[in-house]
Amino acid sequence: MNALLGSYGAKGGALLTSSPKAGTLSDARFADPPKPAAKRVGNKEYYPLALDSAGTNLAALQAALDGTMKGLFFYNSNAAKGYAQPKMWTEALQKTDLAVTIDVQISETALQSDYVLPEVTYLERLELPEWIGGKKHFVDMRTVAIDKVLPDAKTCDEIFNGLAEACGVGEYFQFTAEDLAAAQLATVGVDIGTMKKEGVVELPDPRFQYGTPKFKTPSGKFEFSSEAVGAAGLNPVISWIPRKVMPKDGEFYIVGGKQGIHSHTMTQNIACLNAISREYHMERLWISAQDAEKLGVQSGDTVEVASSEHTGQVEARVTQRLKPGVVFLPTHYGGDSPAQMRAYRYGIALTDFIPFDMEPGVGSMMSQEVAVTVKKVEA
């Protein structure tokens, strides 16, 4: 609270700063193409609280399941393992007429796709500028660090341009990522050659001053209620909502979370990161000391975890840092792609245990609405 409101008689508050952005591009090559006439799957009519820029990927899953979406393209996304119940993704991918994955590795999603278009890794490609805000403004950009390793792999802009040409809309993609990056940088007075050399460039001083911020709310102030949430049929005030699933006797809540060295399910096969995970047994299920004592479980024991959807075995970590009645599972492990030899069947995956369900209004995965049993596996 102090960070947002301050406390009576004490210093406090939140530091809200501006962010830079590219200026308007006059080159006709970069003009926005016409907006599609068709409504996006999972649009505001059904999920009014989903971000306009993102929508909801689970709406696409639901559309594939009910047959209204016949094709799926995935870019840098392992949806079939990390976005909701994997069995449902398998069913959906089998129902589609076309599934295409663009990736740097054979993920679970790629393994189930009709086509895999290999992309170069981040070290082999140039990406668009990143705009950094704060008391000072900066722009940075990832550039090519090494030559292309695999001759058949392409950069994402090459892939997108090729797909656009094949789909009959190539006229909207007559430029490369470097062309667009150079044009964006030029609007703030930075040459792309300088950007490639420096990596990070400071922009003109934004002349930051402390003051009272104005929020994009009806009152212009920070609000603890939301008209948009109320209009979506939900409680506009942040409050407690009863769980859909309550553990019975002998069951546990299961929660998941990320670990600092990994990014979702995309990095578990990287040699050095996988080695760290294995050295520190990072795939373990955390269980409270009180619950572990009742179950006769000690750190290092193998336990069997089961829900209505799945059963799996993993090493346990007994800890005082967890509330009794709750177990914790990291969300990076339990890979099912044999092509990822280090990650394959190392640990268990939280998504395997969760029934397919979507948050109302938002359309995101209900990742915590599941109860599991835990028992020690006797040697």
Side-chain angles (χ1 to χ4, degrees):
M1 281 297 187
N2 190 60
L4 290 173
L5 304 176
S7 296
Y8 180 76
K11 293 181 179 181
L15 179 62
L16 303 175
T17 60
S18 61
S19 295
K21 61 181 180 180
T24 302
L25 302 180
S26 58
D27 192 324
R29 291 179 300 166
F30 308 125
D32 292 335
K35 291 186 178 180
K39 292 183 179 180
R40 181 175 64 186
V41 170
N43 64 10
K44 287 290 186 181
E45 180 181 352
Y46 300 102
Y47 300 102
L49 302 179
L51 290 174
D52 281 332
S53 59
T56 164
N57 55 70
L58 296 191
L61 168 58
Q62 187 62 64
L65 287 168
D66 63 30
T68 57
M69 181 175 285
K70 300 296 185 181
L72 292 170
F73 281 69
F74 302 92
Y75 173 69
N76 192 31
S77 164
N78 190 16
K81 193 62 180 178
Y83 301 171
Q85 172 53 243
K87 289 185 292 188
M88 303 304 292
W89 277 107
T90 296
E91 181 182 341
L93 289 166
Q94 289 173 346
K95 288 184 175 181
T96 58
D97 295 334
L98 177 66
V100 179
T101 292
I102 303 167
D103 209 332
V104 300
Q105 58 188 339
I106 301 297
S107 65
E108 287 81 2
T109 307
L111 200 65
Q112 299 177 74
S113 296
D114 299 300
Y115 297 95
V116 178
L117 306 181
E119 185 189 15
V120 298
T121 66
Y122 71 95
L123 294 173
E124 305 164 72
R125 65 175 182 251
L126 172 146
E127 297 184 2
L128 296 180
E130 294 279 346
W131 308 94
I132 304 170
K135 290 184 178 181
K136 293 186 176 182
H137 286 177
F138 299 86
V139 59
D140 70 1
M141 192 172 76
R142 177 177 287 160
T143 56
V144 177
I146 62 174
D147 293 333
K148 185 188 293 188
V149 175
L150 301 175
D152 292 335
K154 296 182 181 296
T155 60
C156 62
D157 56 313
E158 290 178 304
I159 294 173
F160 296 155
N161 288 359
L163 289 172
E165 194 69 38
C167 293
V169 289
E171 69 270 23
Y172 300 116
F173 299 90
Q174 295 298 312
F175 56 88
T176 65
E178 184 162 345
D179 293 334
L180 180 55
Q184 290 181 340
L185 291 169
T187 66
V188 293
V190 178
D191 178 73
I192 193 169
T194 301
M195 194 76 245
K196 288 182 178 180
K197 179 181 178 181
E198 300 294 335
V200 180
V201 174
E202 185 174 349
L203 298 175
D205 187 352
R207 301 188 180 281
F208 170 81
Q209 292 182 331
Y210 288 99
T212 301
K214 187 173 182 179
F215 294 90
K216 294 180 180 179
T217 61
S219 67
K221 300 179 180 180
F222 185 87
E223 298 181 355
F224 286 93
S225 65
S226 168
E227 293 181 356
V229 174
L234 303 173
N235 189 341
V237 180
I238 297 173
S239 61
W240 180 81
I241 299 174
R243 291 177 62 100
K244 292 184 67 174
V245 177
M246 297 295 292
K248 302 173 184 176
D249 289 342
E251 293 183 334
F252 297 85
Y253 297 109
I254 186 168
V255 297
K258 299 177 183 178
Q259 296 172 329
I261 68 168
H262 283 298
S263 177
H264 303 284
T265 61
M266 305 295 284
T267 56
Q268 58 181 306
N269 199 54
I270 296 174
C272 58
L273 300 184
N274 186 270
I276 294 172
S277 289
R278 289 179 182 271
E279 180 178 355
Y280 293 100
H281 300 260
M282 293 173 66
E283 83 287 3
R284 292 180 294 184
L285 178 86
W286 291 29
I287 185 169
S288 74
Q290 296 94 318
D291 291 330
E293 184 177 6
K294 294 177 183 177
L295 296 173
V297 171
Q298 298 181 354
S299 287
D301 288 344
T302 298
V303 294
E304 180 180 276
V305 184
S307 75
S308 59
E309 309 299 316
H310 185 70
T311 300
Q313 295 185 358
V314 70
E315 186 179 328
R317 177 190 176 184
V318 178
T319 177
Q320 295 281 2
R321 301 176 65 186
L322 201 62
K323 179 182 177 180
V326 180
V327 292
F328 167 84
L329 189 67
T331 55
H332 311 289
Y333 307 106
D336 291 321
S337 174
Q340 297 187 20
M341 293 179 289
R342 300 179 190 90
Y344 183 54
R345 294 184 178 175
Y346 169 54
I348 56 178
L350 179 63
T351 50
D352 284 334
F353 295 89
I354 302 171
F356 177 45
D357 208 349
M358 299 167 67
E359 291 281 0
V362 181
S364 57
M365 176 177 66
M366 284 190 170
S367 61
Q368 313 297 310
E369 293 289 355
V370 62
V372 298
T373 58
V374 179
K375 66 179 182 180
K376 180 179 178 180
V377 176
E378 301 295 342

